[in-house]
Amino acid sequence: MPAPPTGSTRGRCWDVARYAGMSRLAALLLGYVSNAIVSDYDSSASLSLPAQSSAAQGIVRRLAHVVVRWDAFYFKHIAEAGYVYEQEHAFFPLLPLVMRAFARTALAPLDGWIGPQLVLVLAGVLVSNVCFVLASVALYKLGCGTLRSERLAYAAALLFVLAPSNMFMSAVYTESLFAYLVFSALLLVTRRRYAWAAVVLCASTLCRANGVVYAGFFWWDLVVQPCILRQRSSQKPAALRWFVGLAVQAARATALTAVAALGFVAFQALGRQMLCGHQQAVAQNHDMRPYCSGAATVYGFVQAHYWDVGFMRYYTPNQIPNFALAVPMVVLALCGIWAYVVSDPVRAATLGMRSHKAEGANGALLGSAYLGDSLLPHMYLWALLLFVAVTTMHVQVITRFFSSVPAVFWYAAHVVCGSAGAGAGAGGGDSGRSWRRRAVVWYFVGYGMAGVVLFSNFFPPA
């Protein structure tokens, strides 16, 4: 179990929070300025916002022009009117619910100044940016507990502050809220507070569908880890007693997974209830939607029907530019996973049951905190999400899809810091890594800043 935070780590938390807050102000300012200078690629944002009737409304309206782009239109409309159209069920309800609650309580006095629509936009911006700051601190704490290297954890948190998904973390999008929930849940898992972790993951599955896969950490801790300990132990417990204990832990993991998935299941049930009554009424003249008559989910159908999301569907000549945009993050992911696997291929191939490498006293492989056993489940998760991203999704969204994957930032920190980020027992620095360090930093900063300018003026990618 991780040690309690010291005065030094508490000070680092404040540093991370301060840098995260400054980065959000810088991103919004850059977006604000670029939107004032560059003409919008698509001017439809103006049609969904109220006309300016006061100076205060004009300021917030200009901010809305920066942050209400692409998917943000859906979140804003859902917060205003609920789920009206079938395609809106691709967007989960937690962010709109929080926006609406915030707008009707803390921001309610602003209704008379800027109007209810802009109050909702302001609520969405505040939620996203506050959650980004909280997520950066949660990632730092998670890194301290998982990497067992405070320096590498701090570097990873600072790289998260510079994430390539930059503007999506400040706009009316779910990325920051989801990252905060996921990092917090994983932190609770490292502290073995599994029930609270399941509740937080349940909230995350009301935010994004991929929150469900993080329930795999319950199975790793409660089922796989006991198997690893038994395999590596020289004194094995009695077989029957051990198997009974493992069965109990598997039942516990199943219950925790059910709680974690409850948000997703409830949202799908709500969608069926809202949409299938109408479907049954028109079924005499049209084919009923598959989610009304079979096991298909509303979310899966909407993604496939309206956005053509599906296995290998995105592999067309028209999408070559979008694949090109995804290449840097795909390469970073492949390098990160490969570096971990080749450090101990036997460990990776046997779920950690066997290992051919020596570990230091801090639980990390000698040479780098990034290569420790505690990161093994994160590597499996990263590999799974990478496979999904490049085969099934609109691949250009990989930067924001990976914004909630801790291993992305741990590996980036490992490259940037070199062996200086490792725990005790690390060797000297490697000057040959200098170009990779520069490449990672420039990719994070450059792609993030370019994304701010493009997003704020309604240019692709989204």
Side-chain angles (χ1 to χ4, degrees):
M1 184 176 296
T6 64
S8 174
T9 57
R10 281 195 291 267
R12 291 282 210 181
C13 287
W14 284 110
D15 288 343
V16 169
R18 182 170 68 253
Y19 292 136
M22 291 168 60
S23 76
R24 294 310 88 205
L25 290 174
L28 290 171
L29 179 61
L30 176 60
Y32 198 93
V33 171
S34 64
N35 182 259
I37 297 173
V38 181
S39 298
D40 282 359
Y41 176 74
D42 186 332
S43 60
S44 58
S46 301
L47 303 177
S48 68
L49 298 172
Q52 179 179 341
S53 59
S54 67
Q57 194 176 53
I59 294 172
V60 180
R61 195 174 189 275
R62 173 64 69 177
L63 175 64
H65 273 280
V66 174
V67 297
V68 180
R69 302 302 201 198
W70 304 104
D71 294 354
F73 285 109
Y74 289 99
F75 291 116
K76 172 179 170 290
H77 183 259
I78 293 166
E80 288 174 352
Y83 288 89
V84 177
Y85 305 107
E86 183 182 53
Q87 61 265 36
E88 290 180 324
H89 287 263
F91 304 94
F92 282 59
L94 185 60
L95 177 61
L97 286 172
V98 176
M99 287 169 59
R100 188 184 301 178
F102 199 14
R104 291 181 177 178
T105 53
L107 299 182
L110 296 180
D111 266 8
W113 288 74
I114 59 177
Q117 276 192 320
L118 292 178
V119 168
L120 276 174
V121 172
L122 188 59
V125 172
L126 290 173
V127 168
S128 289
N129 287 273
V130 169
C131 284
F132 180 84
V133 174
L134 296 174
S136 65
V137 174
L139 179 62
Y140 168 69
K141 292 180 179 179
L142 177 63
C144 288
T146 304
L147 298 166
R148 299 178 179 90
S149 168
E150 189 278 335
R151 180 168 182 158
L152 202 66
Y154 183 63
L158 294 184
L159 285 165
F160 176 76
V161 167
L162 302 174
S165 54
N166 196 333
M167 195 60 194
F168 294 97
M169 313 304 285
S170 284
V172 186
Y173 267 66
T174 57
E175 271 64 21
S176 288
L177 176 58
F178 183 70
Y180 171 55
L181 292 171
V182 165
F183 295 161
S184 298
L186 295 180
L187 181 60
L188 288 167
V189 169
T190 66
R191 295 173 177 176
R192 299 179 184 174
R193 299 172 65 180
Y194 300 117
W196 280 112
V199 171
V200 175
L201 280 182
C202 177
S204 80
T205 62
L206 280 170
C207 191
R208 293 183 70 91
N210 51 309
V212 175
V213 301
Y214 290 86
F217 284 90
F218 297 134
W219 289 89
W220 185 267
D221 260 30
L222 298 174
V223 178
V224 178
Q225 282 285 14
C227 295
I228 294 174
L229 292 174
R230 177 181 171 83
Q231 180 65 29
R232 293 188 178 185
S233 175
S234 58
Q235 296 181 342
K236 294 179 172 57
L240 179 60
R241 181 178 179 182
W242 183 81
F243 278 115
V244 170
L246 190 67
V248 171
Q249 293 293 67
R252 186 182 177 194
T254 301
L256 291 167
T257 301
V259 172
L262 186 60
F264 176 82
V265 173
F267 181 51
Q268 300 313 297
L270 175 66
R272 286 191 178 196
Q273 182 182 16
M274 294 178 66
L275 297 170
C276 291
H278 173 70
Q279 288 292 319
Q280 290 168 359
V282 300
Q284 293 178 346
N285 300 318
H286 300 83
D287 292 334
M288 185 177 290
R289 294 301 201 196
Y291 54 77
C292 293
S293 56
T297 63
V298 179
Y299 175 75
F301 172 81
V302 168
Q303 286 280 11
H305 184 73
Y306 291 96
W307 282 274
D308 199 30
V309 172
F311 187 71
M312 303 302 285
R313 289 188 183 184
Y314 214 53
Y315 281 76
T316 64
N318 291 340
Q319 302 304 337
I320 290 175
N322 286 323
F323 277 91
L325 289 171
V327 164
M329 183 57 76
V330 172
V331 170
L332 181 73
L334 290 173
C335 290
I337 296 166
W338 179 252
Y340 188 89
V341 170
V342 298
S343 71
D344 189 350
V346 173
R347 176 183 60 182
T350 62
L351 292 178
M353 302 292 177
R354 299 181 183 275
S355 176
H356 283 177
K357 298 289 184 179
E359 289 194 1
N362 64 352
L365 289 174
L366 295 179
S368 175
Y370 174 74
L371 304 177
D373 285 350
S374 56
L375 272 74
L376 185 55
H378 291 275
M379 294 300 136
Y380 292 136
L381 172 69
W382 196 6
L384 171 64
L385 295 180
L386 176 63
F387 176 79
V388 171
V390 300
T391 62
T392 306
M393 297 173 56
H394 292 184
V395 72
Q396 74 271 18
V397 308
I398 192 171
T399 55
R400 55 191 182 94
F401 184 57
F402 277 4
S403 64
S404 57
V405 180
V408 172
F409 306 100
W410 292 339
Y411 176 67
H414 168 71
V415 173
V416 171
C417 294
S419 59
D430 181 6
S431 59
R433 287 187 173 188
S434 60
W435 71 269
R436 283 186 289 171
R437 295 170 185 168
R438 290 194 298 269
V440 168
V441 172
W442 279 109
Y443 167 58
F444 272 55
V445 175
Y447 195 98
M449 291 182 66
V452 171
V453 174
L454 293 172
F455 181 93
S456 61
N457 292 287
F458 222 143
F459 283 91

